[in-house]
Amino acid sequence: MEKKTSQRVALSVFFFLSGLCYSSWASRIPTIKESLNINEAELGSLLFIMPISSLVGLPISGWLVSRFDSRWPLFIGFLFHAMALFMIGNSTSIPFLMGSMVFFAFFMRIFNIAMNTQSITLQKVYEKKINGSFHGLWSLGGIVGVGITTLMIALNVNIHIHLLSIAALHFSDEPCFFQVPHSSR
């Protein structure tokens, strides 16, 4: 397989899994709300943690990508993002859930900035617009994630097992990391 094609496939897998992970988390919010007996006001406050954590991660993401190339922040952000998803699924208290959500949003920001930097780098190699296909794969991952969640709920699969299996899919993508291009610093 041509190098740029293998890089595009690898990056496509990252985008797809990112959408899958996010939709798996978001579609399990009602389960989390019920299991921790969270009311509407508490849920709103909890969800507000995510954009704040993401904003904190924004300048750090930029610094990491400019300092270390985008490959390493992509890899590290991707792995910690998966671990945070697992932690959310295993949250047994509101403080632990809060910490997990901060971790999830922070590393999602790093991962997304690095992933989009990769897509811009690869688009330059292709000399045509290809970023739309990556974002389409993120959306497809989101749709698949909702479908998987629907199936898991219908089969009464515990949230711990569900989110662990989605996080495990992230770890299976490790070989794709070595295919993504280096971004220019």
Side-chain angles (χ1 to χ4, degrees):
M1 184 183 306
E2 190 178 358
K3 183 178 180 179
K4 71 179 186 179
T5 303
S6 65
Q7 290 174 338
R8 187 172 183 175
V9 168
L11 194 53
S12 295
V13 171
F14 279 107
F15 271 91
F16 179 84
L17 288 176
S18 176
L20 178 78
C21 181
Y22 188 80
S23 68
S24 296
W25 133 253
S27 57
R28 280 299 198 153
I29 290 173
T31 307
I32 294 166
K33 182 179 179 257
E34 183 181 319
S35 69
L36 294 177
N37 198 24
I38 299 170
N39 66 38
E40 298 295 324
E42 291 169 329
L43 179 62
S45 297
L46 278 169
L47 292 176
F48 188 61
I49 289 170
M50 292 187 71
I52 292 171
S53 181
S54 184
L55 280 172
V56 170
L58 192 57
I60 295 168
S61 302
W63 179 79
L64 287 170
V65 166
S66 67
R67 175 76 172 98
F68 299 105
D69 190 30
S70 59
R71 289 179 79 194
W72 286 107
L74 171 74
F75 183 65
I76 300 301
F78 192 67
L79 292 179
F80 281 108
H81 186 243
M83 285 191 274
L85 179 67
F86 173 71
M87 290 168 49
I88 287 171
N90 286 290
S91 295
T92 56
S93 68
I94 292 176
F96 189 80
L97 177 62
M98 285 174 54
S100 300
M101 290 171 63
V102 165
F103 198 56
F104 185 77
F106 179 80
F107 284 103
M108 181 172 55
R109 174 58 52 214
I110 292 171
F111 169 52
N112 283 332
I113 294 293
M115 189 170 57
N116 280 289
T117 302
Q118 286 287 319
S119 71
I120 291 166
T121 300
L122 192 56
Q123 182 169 269
K124 288 176 186 174
V125 172
Y126 271 84
E127 298 177 343
K128 65 180 182 176
K129 296 184 185 302
I130 62 170
N131 283 345
S133 66
F134 294 125
H135 293 103
L137 283 166
W138 188 94
S139 297
L140 179 62
I143 292 167
V144 170
V146 169
I148 290 171
T149 300
T150 301
L151 181 64
M152 295 288 178
I153 291 170
L155 296 173
N156 291 319
V157 174
N158 189 298
I159 188 173
H160 310 299
I161 302 299
H162 173 205
L163 295 185
L164 171 63
S165 62
I166 298 297
L169 277 175
H170 276 61
F171 289 105
S172 70
D173 188 42
E174 186 177 332
C176 287
F177 163 73
F178 298 103
Q179 299 299 318
V180 295
H182 290 277
S183 62
S184 58
R185 289 189 240 179

